[in-house]
């Protein structure tokens, strides 16, 4: 299955291949059951290639189009990380401020990631 192969590429470090595969998956099945996962992993494959603008766009799309996805809270943190890595720390901190409003029931892991990212971005 293309989803399994895409994920295997991501885990195996073939980030360009994973980016292409997840992009293809989203093109073929934009409303599929696993589209939100594919959108998140597309962001991951871009982030790991240091393509921060496109990673930010992918995570932004995840949050906008799949707000109830289990990956959306983590996607918000990764969106903030991409912004920070583009030297947009003010925007990163504003994004992290949305966590408690948008995802009050986020997992402890996502909340911990957000707290860590706030430290990295030196949010006040």
């Amino acid at each position: 299955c293309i989803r399994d192969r895409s994920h295997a590429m991501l885990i195996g470090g073939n980030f360009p291949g994973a980016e292409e595969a997840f992009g293809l998956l989203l093109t073929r099945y934009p409303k599929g059951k696993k589209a939100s996962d594919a959108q998140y992993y597309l962001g991951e494959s871009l982030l790991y290639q240091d393509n921060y603008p496109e990673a930010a766009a992918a995570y932004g799309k995840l949050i906008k189009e799949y707000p109830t996805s289990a990956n959306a809270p983590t996607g918000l943190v990764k969106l903030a990380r991409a912004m920070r890595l583009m030297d947009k720390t003010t925007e990163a901190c504003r994004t992290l401020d949305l966590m408690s409003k948008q995802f009050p029931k986020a997992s402890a892991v996502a909340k911990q990631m957000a707290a860590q990212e706030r430290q990295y971005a030196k949010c006040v």
Side-chain angles (χ1 to χ4, degrees):
C1 133
I2 189 172
R3 186 175 60 86
D4 293 341
R5 287 193 307 271
S6 304
H7 198 256
M9 281 188 248
L10 182 65
I11 298 299
N14 180 356
F15 305 126
E19 173 191 350
E20 185 178 337
F22 285 118
L24 180 64
L25 196 63
L26 287 163
T27 300
R28 285 188 185 168
Y29 310 104
K31 302 292 180 203
K33 285 192 291 186
K34 298 292 183 178
S36 66
D37 290 346
Q39 188 66 46
Y40 176 77
Y41 290 124
L42 174 62
E44 293 288 271
S45 65
L46 292 160
L47 189 66
Y48 290 131
Q49 293 178 77
D50 299 337
N51 187 341
Y52 307 127
E54 286 192 36
Y59 292 125
K61 187 173 181 177
L62 167 73
I63 295 160
K64 184 178 179 201
E65 294 189 15
Y66 311 100
T68 59
S69 164
N71 288 320
T74 307
L76 184 125
V77 176
K78 298 291 183 85
L79 169 59
R81 180 173 300 161
M83 290 174 165
R84 175 178 57 83
L85 293 169
M86 290 187 289
D87 293 323
K88 296 182 177 185
T89 52
T90 302
E91 293 90 334
C93 292
R94 273 197 221 119
T95 299
L96 291 166
D97 288 344
L98 298 173
M99 178 65 101
S100 60
K101 295 174 192 104
Q102 247 178 301
F103 305 109
K105 296 179 181 175
S107 70
V109 171
K111 289 177 182 177
Q112 177 60 36
M113 286 175 65
Q116 257 185 329
E117 192 57 40
R118 289 186 70 75
Q119 287 181 333
Y120 295 145
K122 296 177 174 57
C123 301
V124 274

